[in-house]
Amino acid sequence: MGLSLIYNLFCNFNLSMRDYKLNDKGMKMKIEKIEVVHLKLPLNETFEISTGSITEKDCLIIKLHADDYIGIGESSPTPSPYYYSYETPYTCIHIMKDFIIPRLLKRDIKKIGDVDDIFDNMRGNNFAKVGLETALWDLFAKYSGKSLYEFIGGENKEIPWKMSIGIKPSIRELLDTIERFLDSGCRSIKIKIKRGWDIEPVREIRGKFGDIDLSVDANSFYVLEDIEIFRELDKYDLTQIEQPLHYEDLYDHHILQSKINTPICLDESIDSVTTCKNALDIGSCKIVNIKIQRVGGLKNAILIHDMCKKKEIPVWVGFIPESGVGDIIGLALCSLSNVLCPSDISPTGAYFKEDIIIPDITMGKSGNIKLPEGIGLGCSLDNDKVDKFKVSSFEFK
Ligand SMILES: [Mg+2]
């Protein structure tokens, strides 16, 4: 028996232990209609990372209709293969329309595992899978009468969060932005870095704000030969350095991690359960960022969470960013017990001028985000906003 087969058996065993099904009486559902709505949501300000900048965010909102329920999910690709992933809104629509939706419609579904052949057997295209897969989880939660976080076994109801701040034109603008978020109740800050915008902004932030929870994210900008930059950053007591090196290079991350004290957190590298296992096995990182979009859905996100927990590697939940729909799904993941670092989620309004869910995501007096209590996602779509930002829509029966 090959190692990968043994590993797959381990993964499936874990999933069945969590028992994600409609009910114990063999109840089944059939998806009768699927809607895909492509939106472009304007950002509050240009968001720049080491690979490029965006001023609006594409979102594909999915609605699965079964009996009297509507499951809602989101695929949230970036606009070009030069930014974060090779997928775009149009590759996602192609994969959904021509491959996933024909296999999902009219199928009898009793448990999450009943659609493994659709999602697990498809290579790549994780952003395309996520909208339909997460909408299915919302349907399961709604059929069971539970909130999504209860349905997946979440424990934490208050979620610590951090603000991810893009590369700014000047140190002054960076410090002003951080001050604004700290004043609004945020207690954890992450800044994007690239060569020439790394040590100085970190030094200035420490100088002005002292011992705040601070981390940096390079989005794969550097190479191992830049190690002196990381040795210098090591002096500033950062919570983590996120994705410093190329997203395919687990080995060089292992070398870098062995030479610096600051924990490396992998983001772009962790695109599957198997890649995460490889990264942990060779010591490429000490923290894992799970993005539901990047790993192809909530099932893989839960498997990665569970594997990291067994290996005592803390995780947190990253966002692309997504609309409020993706945020709420990510918040459910944040409720699991090994999400031990603040996640990239934020209250409504932090990134987008207007969002598409009712009610808003808000921060409690504790400074944490409270999970919604309603069944399923615990929110509904604001249809006026969906119409306002709609680019196109498709319906399949
Ligand atoms: Mg990142």
Side-chain angles (χ1 to χ4, degrees):
M1 189 182 287
L3 280 178
S4 62
L5 181 55
I6 294 170
Y7 183 65
N8 284 337
L9 287 173
F10 158 74
C11 290
N12 290 335
F13 175 73
N14 249 9
L15 256 193
S16 63
M17 285 296 284
R18 280 180 172 261
D19 212 16
Y20 295 123
K21 57 190 175 185
L22 286 177
N23 67 15
D24 293 324
K25 297 170 187 163
M27 182 184 184
K28 61 188 174 190
M29 66 176 168
K30 205 185 288 275
I31 296 165
E32 300 291 350
K33 187 170 84 170
I34 298 177
E35 295 176 74
V36 179
V37 187
H38 179 191
L39 310 175
K40 281 184 184 289
L41 296 182
L43 290 160
N44 288 330
E45 53 190 50
T46 301
F47 192 73
E48 182 179 344
I49 67 174
S50 63
T51 56
S53 61
I54 53 173
T55 54
E56 58 186 6
K57 183 69 194 60
D58 291 276
C59 311
L60 300 170
I61 300 301
I62 308 297
K63 294 192 228 174
L64 300 184
H65 297 255
D67 295 319
D68 293 330
Y69 298 106
I70 302 175
I72 300 171
E74 176 176 352
S75 285
S76 199
T78 46
S80 87
Y82 299 102
Y83 192 79
Y84 180 87
S85 155
Y86 61 86
E87 295 181 78
T88 73
Y90 300 99
T91 68
C92 287
I93 290 169
H94 160 55
I95 294 294
M96 288 177 184
K97 182 169 165 280
D98 292 328
F99 299 103
I100 303 177
I101 289 175
R103 287 167 169 80
L104 199 53
L105 275 172
K106 314 290 183 191
R107 180 183 291 221
D108 286 336
I109 302 170
K110 296 179 184 172
K111 58 184 188 302
I112 287 289
D114 288 344
V115 292
D116 281 354
D117 60 309
I118 299 176
F119 295 103
D120 293 357
N121 293 354
M122 177 184 287
R123 297 187 185 205
N125 293 289
N126 285 348
F127 283 73
K129 294 171 186 170
V130 168
L132 293 151
E133 202 256 14
T134 50
L136 196 60
W137 281 90
D138 182 33
L139 266 186
F140 268 81
K142 283 171 175 163
Y143 270 89
S144 69
K146 294 179 178 173
S147 65
L148 182 60
Y149 81 86
E150 280 178 305
F151 183 73
I152 68 171
E155 297 170 14
N156 306 318
K157 289 187 176 182
E158 295 205 5
I159 310 301
W161 60 285
K162 67 173 172 287
M163 192 65 203
S164 177
I165 296 173
I167 293 164
K168 296 291 179 186
S170 68
I171 295 286
R172 166 54 63 100
E173 285 177 65
L174 174 69
L175 297 179
D176 287 349
T177 304
I178 292 172
E179 187 160 41
R180 198 170 70 241
F181 281 110
L182 291 175
D183 286 348
S184 73
C186 177
R187 290 178 298 187
S188 183
I189 296 290
K190 174 172 95 178
I191 64 162
K192 299 289 187 177
I193 58 168
K194 62 179 180 181
R195 201 175 296 115
W197 182 266
D198 40 37
I199 297 166
E200 188 190 358
V202 167
R203 184 173 58 234
E204 294 291 329
I205 293 168
R206 280 285 182 244
K208 183 167 172 69
F209 301 108
D211 191 26
I212 60 168
D213 180 358
L214 178 65
S215 51
V216 297
D217 184 0
N219 291 102
S220 291
F221 187 88
Y222 298 91
V223 292
L224 195 52
E225 287 68 30
D226 292 315
I227 191 164
E228 288 311 316
I229 293 173
F230 297 106
R231 286 201 168 113
E232 187 63 26
L233 287 172
D234 239 355
K235 298 174 183 171
Y236 292 95
D237 197 24
L238 298 172
T239 307
Q240 53 197 283
I241 297 174
E242 190 176 334
Q243 197 66 47
L245 310 179
H246 194 273
Y247 54 88
E248 290 176 315
D249 206 337
L250 296 181
Y251 182 71
D252 275 4
H253 278 104
H254 150 72
I255 298 289
L256 180 61
Q257 183 65 93
S258 70
K259 293 179 186 298
I260 62 173
N261 294 320
T262 309
I264 289 178
C265 170
L266 288 182
D267 174 355
E268 284 92 325
S269 292
I270 308 296
D271 59 1
S272 71
V273 180
T274 304
T275 310
C276 185
K277 177 186 179 297
N278 293 339
L280 301 190
D281 282 352
I282 67 170
S284 303
C285 64
K286 292 180 179 172
I287 299 173
V288 167
N289 162 349
I290 306 176
K291 281 195 170 90
I292 297 172
Q293 299 284 328
R294 193 189 59 237
V295 303
L298 200 44
K299 187 188 99 169
N300 285 341
I302 293 168
L303 283 171
I304 289 171
H305 167 275
D306 290 358
M307 179 167 57
C308 289
K309 184 174 181 179
K310 279 194 171 189
K311 291 174 181 282
E312 298 182 344
I313 297 290
V315 306
W316 54 277
V317 180
F319 294 83
I320 296 300
E322 293 132 69
S323 81
V325 172
D327 285 349
I328 293 278
I329 297 163
L331 273 174
L333 183 64
C334 290
S335 71
L336 296 181
S337 60
N338 192 45
V339 180
L340 298 174
C341 309
S343 291
D344 266 357
I345 185 71
S346 48
T348 300
Y351 289 105
F352 295 110
K353 289 178 180 165
E354 296 176 82
D355 212 321
I356 56 166
I357 60 164
I358 303 169
D360 286 344
I361 297 169
T362 55
M363 191 171 55
K365 283 179 188 158
S366 63
N368 294 331
I369 292 174
K370 283 193 164 185
L371 282 166
E373 289 290 347
I375 69 157
L377 300 186
C379 69
S380 58
L381 290 173
D382 182 333
N383 290 320
D384 291 340
K385 299 279 175 59
V386 171
D387 285 342
K388 182 174 177 181
F389 299 114
K390 181 160 65 179
V391 177
S392 60
S393 60
F394 309 89
E395 190 176 299
F396 306 88
K397 287 181 178 175

